[in-house]
Amino acid sequence: MNYKKIKLFLILIIISAPGILYADISMQNVSGREKQSLNGVWNILIDAYDEGLKKKWYILRDSNNGGLNELCYEGNLTLRVPGDWNHQLPELYLYEGHIWYQRRFDSKILPDKRMFLHFGAVSNNCIVFLNGEKIGEHKGGFTPFQFEVTGKLKEKDNYIILRVDNIRGENTIPALSFDWWNYGGITRDVDLVYVPENYIQDYFIRVDNNDTGKLDIKVKLNGENVSRKEIVVELNEINKKITLKTDENGIARSSKKISLELWSPEKPKLYDVAITSGNDKITDRIGFRSIKVDGNKLLLNGKPIYLRGVNFHEEIANEKRRAYSKADAEFLVNSALEMNCNFIRLAHYPQSEYTVRLAEEKGILMWEEIPLWQKINFASEEVCKLAETMADEMIQRDKNRCGVIIWSISNETSKFSKPRNKFLAELVTRVKSLDNTRLVSSALHQSQAVKEDEWTVMKLEDPLIELLDVVGYNKYLGWYQKFPCEPENLKWEAYGKPLIISEFGAECVQGNNLGDTTNLNSWSETYMENVYKKDLISFDNSEDIVGLSPWILFDFRVPRRSHALFQKGWNRKGLISPEYRKKNAWYVMKCYYDKKYYECKE
Ligand code: GCB
């Protein structure tokens, strides 16, 4: 064995060592499954000194089973699940540490069904215990995961305990410092999911990106008896029934001619698709489209498209909390629609499935990304492995959502780091091998203003550019940096590739127009408005730009934004204030997008 093989062997031994039980990647489409919700009120204990594991806080003790002294979950603090802990209890407002969650539940036991404990997301890490036994752990706060619990449940009085932490570190993703609130907790739905013994674990149903008259299907069964099984995929609306057979690994594939109405922002057509295998059946709403690049153009269903976008965080600013529900998704997506957007950059991590599904239903294209934000320790194998898992989990959850057109692999990581360049290049290959029906991008930021005749050209410089399909460019001229010239003479370039200006903007306090409003330090609406106007003039000079996502739709909360007069714990680059008052720059963007909308219609 050579050195590399020995290393791999040792890593495998470590990964499979008893005690480290990792969660499984989530099954496809939990929302389409029979399930029992475990949302609701959970008891909690705050473990500020991180002693719970040592002291076995995962074994529920009460007056009946002894050991009550110094450990009792019930009768004191509680938290609602789903939901971050920061906004629910004043003592947890800025808390970064461990919290133990506990609840009891009864569950129906169906003899011919398997059961899975499914979490939509837990921020950021957790260890899960069921009836006193550790069933596994998960790292990463924004993607779903599951554990099989068949045979581990009783009809009455089960208890589940989670140790959750939101601790930042050099080797976490995101790492030590990042520009959003570090919400902790069980932030998305928790369910007990019931499936048949041999169940449809996964499917990927899409049209061929090079030929939308061809439907490509891959279905994967899971169970003891999954080889040479028949699978039927039906689109009743067009009387289409496709029969497939699994191989010895329970995987079936087909590629068949089909005539479908394609999904687009103007007409976001979704089909009911039913997949049946033995006694398992699941249905989903799926849309079909192609997304491609031709030189510096972006083509949706073969036609050039302009992305009228915006960024938002998964936050309800006015309530100082993370968004988690269908109603929250409606609020966020409708707010983007109000500005006439057809594109959302879901910053800076996979946001709730409710948001993705709703945006797709409403005809919005999406950019989805993993939280590799600025200073990530790419030199650590453990960190890179985690980043890969995050990408896998994001793609697994949303690969059937045609509204998602871009997977982004990172935001503003440094081009000077060799391990970063090596790892991100590998990640591009990995993402493309998992899904060849979307484009790969990254939000880059290292650039130079270069004089070329009468023009000053903003040029990105990053070895990643040549590997990406679409280039994201973050730049805050007028805020972190001066405009290098008059906007009439300014251009943006991505070396002949489609370019999305993925972030630009400035800060201001809504309602403020005091002092010299030409001055950045005025924090005035007029200053911000002028930055937007100048940016837009320069964008119109640039042939490579296929879309914009200004930073950001709402002011958002960040503990490190601490200017005592103007920020007070908020990043004020929002186009809308937390109270939903639109800033001048919002109207500038809305006008610009209306104009683009009518230009594109002509
Ligand atoms: C950026 C980051 C974003 C920040 C923003 C800012 O470049 O990508 O996460 O919030 O700048 O306001 O500084």
Side-chain angles (χ1 to χ4, degrees):
M1 255 195 245
N2 63 22
Y3 169 72
K4 266 195 173 158
K5 280 192 180 151
I6 293 172
K7 207 164 137 195
L8 184 71
F9 182 66
L10 288 176
I11 290 170
L12 285 176
I13 290 183
I14 293 167
I15 291 175
S16 55
I20 310 179
L21 297 160
Y22 287 104
D24 292 328
I25 199 155
S26 166
M27 66 182 76
Q28 195 53 229
N29 187 15
V30 161
S31 56
R33 288 290 176 188
E34 176 185 354
K35 53 193 189 299
Q36 175 186 337
S37 171
L38 295 180
N39 291 344
V41 176
W42 291 52
N43 302 302
I44 64 141
L45 296 177
I46 302 171
D47 187 8
Y49 290 173
D50 188 19
E51 295 189 319
L53 260 193
K54 218 170 39 222
K55 295 195 170 163
K56 301 196 172 150
W57 287 13
Y58 47 86
I59 298 172
L60 187 68
R61 276 159 277 181
D62 60 25
S63 41
N64 296 326
N65 63 6
L68 176 71
N69 54 336
E70 301 220 16
L71 186 76
C72 174
Y73 277 95
E74 288 153 14
N76 189 21
L77 298 177
T78 59
L79 287 171
R80 261 172 296 109
V81 170
D84 63 83
W85 63 53
N86 311 70
H87 85 286
Q88 296 193 52
L89 292 174
E91 58 268 51
L92 299 179
Y93 174 69
L94 265 169
Y95 186 71
E96 295 184 309
H98 297 91
I99 300 263
W100 290 73
Y101 281 73
Q102 174 267 338
R103 72 163 282 172
R104 299 174 192 263
F105 63 99
D106 299 338
S107 59
K108 56 179 189 212
I109 310 286
L110 305 172
D112 51 352
K113 289 274 167 92
R114 291 166 69 186
M115 296 156 92
F116 290 85
L117 204 47
H118 185 276
F119 296 86
V122 177
S123 282
N124 281 325
N125 309 304
C126 65
I127 309 180
V128 184
F129 302 89
L130 182 65
N131 295 331
E133 181 201 338
K134 174 173 168 180
I135 58 168
E137 52 193 88
H138 183 260
K139 287 197 163 110
F142 305 96
T143 41
F145 55 95
Q146 67 184 32
F147 305 98
E148 176 148 20
V149 293
T150 316
K152 294 190 168 139
L153 287 167
K154 308 170 280 176
E155 285 206 328
K156 292 267 165 238
D157 215 16
N158 297 289
Y159 66 94
I160 176 170
I161 295 181
L162 260 77
R163 188 188 78 161
V164 180
D165 81 78
N166 63 341
I167 295 171
R168 288 172 295 111
E170 253 164 45
N171 287 341
T172 58
I173 304 177
L176 272 174
S177 173
F178 45 93
D179 201 39
W180 65 89
W181 200 268
N182 184 20
Y183 290 112
I186 306 179
T187 47
R188 296 194 192 140
D189 296 330
V190 185
D191 290 295
L192 198 54
V193 185
Y194 293 84
V195 295
E197 275 162 11
N198 300 304
Y199 84 103
I200 301 160
Q201 179 188 18
D202 192 18
Y203 53 85
F204 188 13
I205 302 179
R206 71 282 186 194
V207 285
D208 183 329
N209 208 34
N210 293 314
D211 174 3
T212 53
K214 227 162 74 193
L215 186 69
D216 290 339
I217 302 178
K218 180 179 176 194
V219 182
K220 183 172 187 291
L221 301 184
N222 180 295
E224 301 258 292
N225 194 4
V226 294
S227 146
R228 315 267 163 242
K229 294 286 170 229
E230 192 175 278
I231 291 173
V232 179
V233 176
E234 284 165 291
L235 286 86
N236 280 337
E237 195 180 326
I238 52 163
N239 278 323
K240 190 84 187 171
K241 183 168 170 177
I242 297 167
T243 305
L244 304 83
K245 254 244 152 69
T246 58
D247 62 14
E248 60 284 0
N249 300 314
I251 296 173
R253 287 189 170 85
S254 104
S255 184
K256 288 260 157 62
K257 282 213 165 317
I258 199 157
S259 171
L260 289 160
E261 188 183 327
L262 298 180
W263 180 100
S264 69
E266 294 74 40
K267 198 147 185 241
K269 172 74 191 153
L270 299 177
Y271 287 88
D272 282 326
V273 180
I275 307 149
T276 312
S277 164
N279 58 354
D280 194 18
K281 177 171 184 173
I282 183 147
T283 57
D284 205 344
R285 304 258 300 148
I286 301 183
F288 303 96
R289 53 95 189 109
S290 69
I291 186 78
K292 292 173 86 166
V293 161
D294 182 12
N296 62 2
K297 296 269 166 296
L298 191 61
L299 306 180
L300 179 75
N301 302 328
K303 287 194 229 123
I305 182 153
Y306 182 83
L307 304 174
R308 307 184 307 272
V310 76
N311 285 279
F312 58 64
H313 271 294
E314 188 173 47
E315 185 176 72
I316 302 297
N318 201 24
E319 294 173 29
K320 299 184 179 167
R321 63 170 175 85
R322 186 162 275 166
Y324 62 86
S325 65
K326 239 184 194 162
D328 291 344
E330 295 246 357
F331 171 75
L332 292 169
V333 170
N334 287 340
S335 304
L337 281 172
E338 200 190 345
M339 208 169 76
N340 201 358
C341 291
N342 65 358
F343 175 65
I344 295 171
R345 176 172 174 235
L346 298 164
H348 276 303
Y349 36 78
Q351 299 197 13
S352 141
E353 202 178 342
Y354 291 124
T355 304
V356 175
R357 282 186 178 262
L358 189 82
E360 173 175 283
E361 241 173 61
K362 301 214 174 201
I364 294 190
L365 299 149
M366 282 163 278
W367 155 316
E368 210 175 337
E369 70 190 36
I370 50 172
L372 291 179
W373 192 93
Q374 293 190 1
K375 294 203 176 82
I376 297 293
N377 182 10
F378 289 105
S380 151
E381 260 184 54
E382 185 196 335
V383 171
C384 293
K385 183 84 204 82
L386 178 57
E388 268 175 24
T389 305
M390 286 177 169
D392 292 357
E393 290 179 349
M394 170 176 76
I395 295 169
Q396 167 68 3
R397 193 192 72 179
D398 289 336
K399 64 189 172 193
N400 289 298
R401 302 283 73 78
C402 70
V404 178
I405 51 166
I406 291 171
W407 299 128
S408 171
I409 52 164
S410 57
N411 179 81
E412 298 184 354
T413 51
S414 169
K415 69 169 183 180
F416 297 111
S417 150
K418 276 195 189 147
R420 173 269 198 184
N421 294 341
K422 180 171 175 291
F423 174 72
L424 290 184
E426 287 163 9
L427 194 58
V428 172
T429 310
R430 185 184 186 93
V431 168
K432 284 179 178 270
S433 74
L434 289 173
D435 178 9
N436 61 7
T437 69
R438 284 177 183 82
L439 307 171
V440 178
S441 192
S442 168
L444 309 177
H445 69 309
Q446 280 153 326
S447 59
Q448 267 202 54
V450 180
K451 219 53 201 115
E452 286 180 4
D453 304 326
E454 79 271 31
W455 294 105
T456 298
V457 187
M458 299 297 301
K459 282 187 187 238
L460 273 168
E461 288 174 348
D462 195 310
L464 259 192
I465 294 178
E466 65 174 304
L467 306 174
L468 301 175
D469 300 312
V470 176
V471 179
Y473 196 156
N474 294 355
K475 199 79 192 172
Y476 290 86
L477 297 182
W479 191 254
Y480 294 126
Q481 220 179 310
K482 289 201 166 82
F483 276 86
C485 62
E486 289 305 313
E488 287 75 10
N489 300 104
L490 188 64
K491 269 189 179 188
W492 301 72
E493 195 182 283
Y495 309 97
K497 291 202 173 194
L499 176 65
I500 296 175
I501 306 293
S502 34
E503 291 181 24
F504 63 97
E507 287 193 51
C508 86
V509 176
Q510 187 275 326
N512 172 34
N513 260 325
L514 298 175
D516 173 8
T517 58
T518 59
N519 187 334
L520 168 133
N521 292 320
S522 66
W523 294 75
S524 66
E525 285 210 43
T526 310
Y527 183 80
M528 177 180 176
E529 177 188 345
N530 283 334
V531 166
Y532 268 76
K533 284 183 176 159
K534 283 169 137 181
D535 271 329
L536 295 179
I537 292 172
S538 70
F539 299 155
D540 281 341
N541 296 331
S542 315
E543 299 83 41
D544 290 346
I545 295 181
V546 296
L548 309 176
S549 49
W551 190 259
I552 181 171
L553 192 53
F554 294 101
D555 287 351
F556 62 99
R557 300 198 333 123
V558 194
R560 64 180 197 157
R561 296 280 175 182
S562 46
H563 189 298
L565 297 178
F566 298 116
Q567 290 180 312
K568 302 176 185 166
W570 291 87
N571 181 318
R572 300 282 186 191
K573 294 193 190 71
L575 291 159
I576 308 180
S577 77
E579 304 78 26
Y580 212 87
R581 293 204 193 97
K582 291 162 188 152
K583 302 183 186 173
N584 295 355
W586 184 93
Y587 294 93
V588 174
M589 278 320 298
K590 168 81 163 85
C591 265
Y592 187 77
Y593 283 165
D594 285 351
K595 204 169 110 235
K596 284 277 176 198
Y597 175 78
Y598 289 111
E599 270 171 20
C600 295
K601 282 199 110 178
E602 276 157 19

